[in-house]
């Protein structure tokens, strides 16, 4: 019994030595202390996690990806068969179709209508730009710097919307802002082609025409020469053309090529020199080659393809910001309302 008590006391004494009854304060490493200084209940930014608002007060929705319904409306097939929706894509007010007094064509006025109010491009940028990520804003600015209206694309009588989509994608990628579609056949059913255009139609100025005569008359009034792609004895090589002049590149139907009416009304015929056994390219490939050479030639002789001045660049940037998302329009409208309200407040 005595031996047992001795063993117990020895064990307790050993345990007491191992336990520090007066422990020193323990400090986390600096990196851990910085992390633990943030309250666990700190609110998470709403731009990272989407939540459903149950408030009865309407709010301007943050910029986010387009809905499936909006994507469906903006497909090339839908746009080319619904002229009102083409006009809906362009937000800033536009000049009249014919502008014989302008030495250099630029389609937009410095005004965006918001109901009874209006905003200029600076105000649109001030309203919408803060809600975009910096990377997105920088990309839009870079695109605007490389945009030009000096070369435009005209597709005449194409039957396959896949080809139209492909030419739109090439035009956007190369910095052409203006594209024109003449009498596209809408009597047939075509597959969805947004994956072909990669959404390029959203960022282009698209104009629809019923005939080459109607289209060419307006383009000539804007200062363009009409160059139809055509394999013939009188065709000029695209490598011998002066691309510093405002030029409308016209490509034709997949099977018949350029119509006789368009050939007769054009200022010149141009062609891509062929080195193989075949004598033509696919229409979307041909359009891409001609546009690419035009941009390269302009860059070599002018220093760059993009040629918008400061005011035009600001207006086009405002246009792109408004096209970015439907919420952009709501934000601009709210800004216009606040602007009108401030004007009504008497100055002290």
């Amino acid at each position: 019994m005595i031996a047992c008590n001795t063993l117990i006391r020895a064990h307790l004494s050993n345990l007491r030595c191992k336990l520090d009854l007066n422990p020193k304060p323990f400090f986390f490493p600096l990196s851990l202390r910085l992390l633990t200084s943030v309250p666990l209940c700190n609110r998470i930014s709403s731009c990272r996690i989407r939540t459903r608002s149950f408030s009865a007060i309407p709010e301007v929705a943050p910029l986010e990806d387009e809905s499936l319904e909006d994507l469906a409306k903006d497909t090339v097939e839908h746009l080319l068969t619904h002229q009102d929706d083409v006009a809906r894509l362009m937000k800033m007010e536009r000049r009249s179709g014919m502008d014989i007094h302008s030495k250099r064509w630029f389609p937009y006025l410095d005004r965006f209508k918001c109901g009874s109010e209006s905003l200029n491009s600076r105000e649109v940028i001030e309203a919408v730009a803060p809600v975009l990520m910096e990377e997105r804003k920088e990309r839009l600015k870079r695109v605007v710097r490389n945009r030009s209206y000096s070369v435009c694309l005209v597709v005449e009588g194409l039957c396959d919307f896949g080809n139209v989509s492909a030419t739109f994608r090439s035009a956007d990628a190369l910095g052409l802002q203006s594209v024109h579609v003449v009498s596209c056949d809408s009597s047939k059913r075509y597959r969805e082609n947004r994956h072909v255009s990669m959404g390029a139609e959203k960022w282009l100025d698209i104009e629809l025409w019923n005939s080459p005569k109607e289209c060419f008359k307006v383009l000539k009034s804007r200062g363009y020469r009409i160059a139809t792609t055509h394999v013939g004895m009188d065709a000029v090589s695209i490598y011998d053309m002066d691309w510093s002049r405002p030029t409308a590149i016209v490509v034709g139907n997949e099977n018949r090529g350029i119509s006789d009416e368009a050939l007769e009304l054009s200022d010149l015929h141009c062609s891509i020199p062929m080195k193989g056994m075949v004598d033509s390219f696919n229409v979307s490939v041909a359009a891409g080659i001609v546009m690419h050479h035009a941009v390269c030639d302009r860059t070599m002789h002018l220093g760059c393809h993009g040629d918008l001045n400061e005011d035009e660049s600001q207006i086009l940037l405002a246009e792109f910001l408004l096209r970015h998302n439907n919420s952009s329009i709501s934000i601009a409208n709210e800004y216009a309302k606040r602007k009108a309200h401030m004007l009504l407040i008497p100055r002290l």
Side-chain angles (χ1 to χ4, degrees), residues 20 23 30 112 243 262 284 295 328 340 344:
D20 190 351
L30 180 59
F112 171 62
W243 291 100
S284 61
V295 171
S328 301
L344 293 176

Side-chain angles (χ1 to χ4, degrees), residues 123-333:
E123 291 170 325
V124 170
I125 294 171
E126 183 179 324
V128 181
V131 300
L132 269 69
M133 296 179 64
E134 285 300 323
E135 294 83 355
R136 187 65 165 176
K137 286 187 286 188
E138 288 304 314
R139 182 171 184 179
L140 290 176
K141 291 177 183 178
R142 185 173 66 253
V143 169
V144 169
R145 284 196 300 271
N146 290 286
R147 277 302 206 247
S148 175
Y149 286 90
S150 296
V151 179
C152 69
L153 175 68
V154 181
V155 293
E156 186 220 3
L158 296 189
C159 295
D160 186 348
F161 280 116
N163 284 328
V164 180
S165 299
T167 60
F168 282 10
R169 181 176 178 179
S170 297
D172 173 70
L174 292 168
L176 279 68
Q177 182 60 29
S178 177
V179 295
H180 302 259
V181 180
V182 179
S183 61
C184 206
D185 187 356
S186 60
S187 63
K188 302 177 183 178
R189 297 190 62 177
Y190 299 88
R191 66 184 184 279
E192 190 78 38
N193 286 301
R194 189 177 178 86
H195 68 284
V196 178
S197 67
M198 295 298 289
E201 66 276 3
K202 177 177 179 177
W203 306 105
L204 297 171
D205 294 354
I206 304 171
E207 295 182 69
L208 307 182
W209 307 96
N210 294 319
S211 68
K213 181 179 180 180
E214 178 188 17
C215 176
F216 293 0
K217 180 180 179 181
V218 172
L219 287 177
K220 288 182 179 181
S221 76
R222 297 175 183 177
Y224 291 98
R225 63 173 176 174
I226 311 299
T228 51
T229 54
H230 176 66
V231 179
M233 296 298 295
D234 60 344
V236 178
S237 169
I238 61 170
Y239 304 118
D240 296 329
M241 293 174 58
D242 177 12
W243 291 100
S244 63
R245 293 181 56 185
T247 304
I249 301 167
V250 186
V251 295
N253 180 270
E254 294 90 343
N255 300 314
R256 300 185 303 274
I258 301 288
S259 68
D260 291 338
E261 180 184 9
L263 288 173
E264 183 179 349
L265 294 173
S266 62
D267 297 308
L268 76 156
H269 306 156
C270 63
S271 65
I272 305 168
M274 306 295 294
K275 306 299 183 182
M277 295 297 291
V278 297
D279 60 1
S280 65
F281 287 102
N282 168 274
V283 63
S284 61
V285 174
I289 291 174
V290 178
M291 288 188 289
H292 181 265
H293 174 70
V295 171
C296 290
D297 186 84
R298 287 172 54 79
T299 302
M300 182 172 63
H301 290 94
L302 304 177
C304 63
H305 169 64
D307 58 1
L308 302 183
N309 63 36
E310 185 176 350
D311 291 337
E312 292 167 346
S313 296
Q314 179 173 283
I315 294 172
L316 187 58
L317 177 59
E319 172 71 18
F320 281 176
L321 289 172
L322 291 169
R323 293 189 193 188
H324 184 268
N325 190 282
N326 288 336
S327 296
S328 301
I329 304 298
S330 301
I331 292 169
N333 285 330

Side-chain angles (χ1 to χ4, degrees), residues 6-49:
T6 301
L7 287 173
I8 292 173
R9 282 195 298 271
H11 178 73
L12 291 175
S13 176
N14 186 41
L15 183 61
R16 188 180 295 110
C17 293
K18 292 182 178 180
L19 293 175
D20 190 351
L21 299 178
N22 296 298
K24 295 179 181 180
F26 174 74
F27 293 95
F28 283 105
L30 180 59
S31 61
L32 292 179
R33 291 209 307 275
L34 291 174
L35 288 173
T36 55
S37 65
V38 181
L40 294 178
C41 59
N42 189 42
R43 291 185 297 177
I44 300 176
S45 173
S46 60
C47 67
R48 306 298 292 273
I49 295 181

